[in-house]
Amino acid sequence: MLPRLASCCWSARFLSHSLLLSPLTSTRYNTKCLVNYNMTVDNNLLAEPMRRANFRLCNVSGHISEVLEIRAEAPKLHVLFVPGNPGVILFYKDFVEFLYELLEGTASVTVMFLRELAAIGHVSHSRKDLEKGRMFSLQEQIDHKIDFIREELQNIEIPILLVGHSIGSYISIEIFKKSPEKVKYCIGLYPFLTLNLQSTTQLFIGKIAKSQVLASALSYLIASLGLLPVRALRFMVRKSLGKSWSVNAVEAACSHLSQYHTMRNVLYMAMTEFRKLSETPDWTFMRERKAQLAFLFGVDDHWGPLNLLEESGSASIGEHV
């Protein structure tokens, strides 16, 4: 459920490649590639100043939501990122900034490829309990993102590209279905589209999530860790979960996941995810829109196993690493 932050560079590179070959524009753009053939970061390029994502709170249909964004003066494209579960948007700060930098380039006619990039977190997956203990289902999180597009992006005339991670891929597809006039392309990174009956991890999480007693107990246990000194909590997170995580990701885990309301919402959303994703994915829609869809699968990712690529019946809409 937690973000595969170690795959940030490759995920962003795949995403930019998919974007540049998408039907959003008839012009092919060159990207400023920040990774070399060995998939390591190019330190010379990273030494250049990088645009930082701005964090803000916005009101979406009465719900205070956390947003990261990088704006451009005259954008030609708006990229909207939808997180997985947990939907703590600060987990993805480095990814958002890296992606923006990776897409920075020039067209073959030397016209700047300008775009805006925004990332919106899930309701109540936040540091403060702004919803007073209310829990939000998968469908309510989908509706929340649709409302965000309607309220925050209603006046933009440029195409919207949706990028989803894990369950965010499923959410993005549902948004795509309901907003085809605005959304022109959708990319799923390590997509969670249906239950994996072979995954013991999913079985374990599912049993906890559907039990109010177990979900509450686990949430209280994790929240109690927030009473530890900050340095001790950081050490525990880095050693147990985030050995390859960035400083920003570790800080987000310490500040958000140590909140009772956040963990309860994570588990409640997981329960509704598992219930909905027990159904067969809408392969018909995805095949019909395969020119506007792209997926990145991981060979060791139980949330989006490679057999999904085979079941889709169209290898042209997915790749794996």
Side-chain angles (χ1 to χ4, degrees):
M1 295 171 71
L2 294 173
R4 295 180 55 148
L5 297 173
S7 303
C8 171
C9 296
W10 175 245
S11 300
R13 193 182 188 198
F14 165 82
L15 196 158
S16 65
H17 174 73
S18 300
L19 171 60
L20 300 182
L21 298 181
S22 77
L24 289 173
T25 173
S26 59
T27 305
R28 178 173 295 187
Y29 296 96
N30 300 315
T31 61
K32 182 193 297 181
C33 187
L34 299 185
V35 289
N36 59 28
Y37 291 111
N38 294 321
M39 300 308 298
T40 56
V41 178
D42 189 328
N43 292 325
N44 291 328
L45 288 175
L46 286 180
E48 300 177 6
M50 182 178 287
R51 287 287 300 275
R52 297 302 177 188
N54 297 314
F55 175 85
R56 70 179 176 92
L57 298 177
C58 72
N59 189 318
V60 180
S61 296
H63 303 301
I64 303 301
S65 309
E66 296 184 343
V67 175
L68 285 175
E69 60 186 4
I70 303 178
R71 292 184 176 274
E73 291 185 4
K76 303 299 181 184
L77 175 70
H78 190 100
V79 180
L80 178 60
F81 180 81
V82 181
N85 185 13
V88 177
I89 205 59
L90 290 177
F91 271 134
Y92 300 89
K93 186 175 187 296
D94 298 281
F95 174 80
V96 168
E97 293 171 348
F98 186 84
L99 175 60
Y100 187 93
E101 193 73 10
L102 194 62
L103 291 177
E104 188 72 53
T106 57
S108 56
V109 292
T110 69
V111 177
M112 287 301 295
F113 177 38
L114 299 176
R115 67 274 171 266
E116 289 186 328
L117 198 156
I120 180 167
H122 297 326
V123 187
S124 207
H125 291 216
S126 52
R127 184 170 186 173
K128 295 183 178 180
D129 185 10
L130 301 173
E131 299 296 332
K132 303 184 185 304
R134 178 181 169 184
M135 293 183 289
F136 293 81
S137 67
L138 171 62
Q139 185 57 53
E140 288 172 317
Q141 298 291 1
I142 293 172
D143 294 339
H144 170 252
K145 308 306 177 290
I146 294 174
D147 289 342
F148 177 80
I149 292 176
R150 188 184 69 249
E151 297 174 15
E152 291 280 321
L153 308 179
Q154 62 177 338
N155 295 323
I156 68 170
E157 298 180 354
I158 56 177
I160 295 175
L161 165 72
L162 291 176
V163 180
H165 167 250
S166 191
I167 190 62
S169 301
Y170 177 87
I171 294 174
S172 296
I173 292 172
E174 293 302 303
I175 297 171
F176 192 11
K177 290 179 181 179
K178 297 181 180 180
S179 304
E181 69 287 349
K182 280 191 170 292
V183 177
K184 301 303 179 184
Y185 204 77
C186 180
I187 297 175
L189 304 176
Y190 308 104
F192 181 31
L193 304 177
T194 187
L195 289 182
N196 179 0
L197 300 180
Q198 305 303 316
S199 171
T200 55
T201 300
Q202 289 186 30
L203 178 63
F204 178 72
I205 294 175
K207 287 185 176 180
I208 293 177
K210 70 179 182 181
S211 168
Q212 290 191 16
V213 174
L214 292 178
S216 296
L218 180 60
S219 298
Y220 274 121
L221 176 62
I222 294 176
S224 67
L225 298 178
L227 300 175
L228 295 172
V230 175
R231 183 173 297 181
L233 184 56
R234 287 193 193 119
F235 178 81
M236 288 185 61
V237 169
R238 187 168 291 282
K239 290 297 182 181
S240 60
L241 297 174
K243 294 181 180 179
S244 61
W245 289 10
S246 68
V247 173
N248 286 326
V250 171
E251 289 297 325
C254 293
S255 62
H256 287 62
L257 295 186
S258 61
Q259 305 299 323
Y260 174 79
H261 72 276
T262 298
M263 282 307 306
R264 283 295 282 126
N265 265 279
V266 167
L267 293 171
Y268 181 74
M269 182 178 172
M271 179 189 71
T272 59
E273 286 175 30
F274 286 17
R275 186 179 299 160
K276 182 62 179 177
L277 270 59
S278 62
E279 303 172 4
T280 302
D282 190 352
W283 296 125
T284 300
F285 174 81
M286 286 184 264
R287 289 167 188 153
E288 290 174 349
R289 297 299 183 97
K290 66 180 181 180
Q292 296 170 278
L293 289 168
F295 296 120
L296 175 68
F297 292 89
V299 293
D300 60 344
D301 182 22
H302 68 90
W303 296 103
L306 289 182
N307 67 286
L308 280 184
L309 181 59
E310 300 168 0
E311 290 179 21
S312 71
S314 176
S316 63
I317 64 173
E319 292 186 18
H320 70 274
V321 293

